[in-house]
Amino acid sequence: MVVEVESFFGVYMLYCTNPKFKGRIYIGFTVNPERRIGQHNAGRRKGGAKRTSGRGPWEMVLIIHGFPSDIAALRFEWAWQHPHISRRLSHVARRTRKESSLQFHWRVVSNMLRVAPWSRLPLTVRWLRQEYRLDFEPGLQPPLHIPLTFGCVRAKKKQQQQPEDKEQEESWVEQCLLCREILKAADRLSCFHPSCMMVCHLICLAKHFLKSEPTHLIPVEGNCPGCHRSVLWGNLIRHRNGCYGDLEEITSYSSQSHWADELQI
């Protein structure tokens, strides 16, 4: 089964199967996993990276997705590539002689998922190839809102809104449940439970969820002010971007700047 994800931002790990370079690891960013692995194996002239060109074949074995924007994903990629430079990963020990490159990079990303800001993002850890799968060490389990999944993933084009739907949306007037001010479509966030009619400004709901955690910028979960059920922030964002089924499989979207992008590595 291939999971389709709209507005995909992912950071992946490649494993080299070439006998001459077997076991080498490459970390990269992509908005389209299927296309990107093809580029790597086709060489630099076809869009592959300099470090992977001429050293294939490569297999994409792991991908982390669910980033709020390309900038957030690129910052994650940089830290994963340079764990001993990133100030958030200064506690991560260097690779030991007994560790393979795959094991080391898995240990690094396991640590990354436990520190801010990444520990508060609605991420999904996905093993694409079962034969390379590694388990989290007992002391390096990610937060409960970051699921570990298996299987292929495909970037799905975001559906274009029809002109008549856009006109109807612009003419519809809604009030934020929390501040009572008029809502604009770009700032609107609603509950994904069918019986709940809650609509709020994204920022208003974020502040509401963060009342018990005033030092943080990104909520993890909270009680919906409409139906009072406990909901994950990541699921609300995924619902906002068109996911009405398996909320764990749809990422949030931002083609421009995102408020989480201001967080430093």
Side-chain angles (χ1 to χ4, degrees):
M1 176 182 175
V2 178
V3 172
E4 293 188 332
V5 176
E6 288 184 348
S7 306
F8 188 94
F9 300 111
V11 181
Y12 59 86
M13 178 163 65
L14 298 185
Y15 183 92
C16 183
T17 60
N18 185 323
K20 188 177 179 179
F21 307 102
K22 190 170 183 178
R24 291 195 181 186
I25 296 297
Y26 178 85
I27 304 299
F29 158 78
T30 186
V31 296
N32 189 323
E34 290 183 325
R35 181 182 65 196
R36 192 62 185 140
I37 185 60
Q39 290 174 329
H40 279 296
N41 283 321
R44 195 176 181 185
R45 291 185 177 180
K46 298 293 185 179
K50 180 180 179 180
R51 287 181 55 202
T52 60
S53 183
R55 298 178 180 177
W58 295 85
E59 290 187 348
M60 190 176 289
V61 299
L62 175 70
I63 194 161
I64 315 295
H65 59 91
F67 294 95
S69 68
D70 53 353
I71 295 176
L74 286 166
R75 287 179 171 172
F76 187 92
E77 175 202 28
W78 184 90
W80 197 358
Q81 292 172 339
H82 308 92
H84 306 305
I85 300 176
S86 173
R87 63 184 177 86
R88 297 190 182 275
L89 300 176
S90 58
H91 63 287
V92 179
R94 292 185 178 274
R95 179 182 170 185
T96 66
R97 291 184 178 181
K98 294 182 179 180
E99 275 185 314
S100 67
S101 186
L102 176 66
Q103 291 170 332
F104 171 67
H105 283 87
W106 174 246
R107 177 163 62 85
V108 171
V109 79
S110 297
N111 277 277
M112 291 177 68
L113 296 172
R114 292 173 56 85
V115 298
W118 308 303
S119 62
R120 303 187 66 81
L121 296 179
L123 303 178
T124 294
V125 181
R126 181 179 296 278
W127 282 104
L128 303 172
R129 301 297 296 266
Q130 282 277 10
E131 59 266 36
Y132 298 97
R133 170 189 172 180
L134 295 173
D135 293 322
F136 288 110
E137 293 295 325
L140 291 177
Q141 294 284 344
L144 293 177
H145 69 276
I146 299 180
L148 176 64
T149 58
F150 304 91
C152 296
V153 63
R154 177 184 298 143
K156 180 181 178 182
K157 289 185 178 180
K158 196 173 181 67
Q159 293 183 353
Q160 296 294 323
Q161 193 175 23
Q162 297 298 322
E164 56 269 22
D165 294 336
K166 187 174 181 180
E167 291 177 5
Q168 185 177 5
E169 187 179 87
E170 291 176 350
S171 64
W172 187 262
V173 178
E174 292 180 304
Q175 282 186 324
C176 172
L177 182 63
L178 294 173
C179 72
R180 299 298 178 181
E181 293 187 4
I182 301 299
L183 279 167
K184 292 183 179 179
D187 303 324
R188 183 182 184 275
L189 203 60
S190 62
C191 182
F192 53 81
H193 288 111
S195 59
C196 183
M197 304 302 291
M198 183 279 294
V199 288
C200 290
H201 289 109
L202 185 148
I203 295 298
C204 290
L205 192 58
K207 290 179 178 179
H208 178 72
F209 278 14
L210 288 170
K211 284 181 179 179
S212 60
E213 298 180 294
T215 60
H216 291 285
L217 293 177
I218 304 174
V220 172
E221 62 181 320
N223 291 325
C224 170
C227 63
H228 306 292
R229 298 179 187 177
S230 179
V231 292
L232 290 174
W233 179 256
N235 283 348
L236 291 173
I237 297 298
R238 293 179 179 111
H239 176 260
R240 176 176 180 253
N241 289 280
C243 174
Y244 302 100
D246 188 350
L247 293 174
E248 288 188 355
E249 305 301 344
I250 302 298
T251 58
S252 52
Y253 173 73
S254 173
S255 59
Q256 301 178 6
S257 61
H258 187 279
W259 60 295
D261 293 337
E262 299 303 319
L263 298 172
Q264 297 298 312
I265 292 174

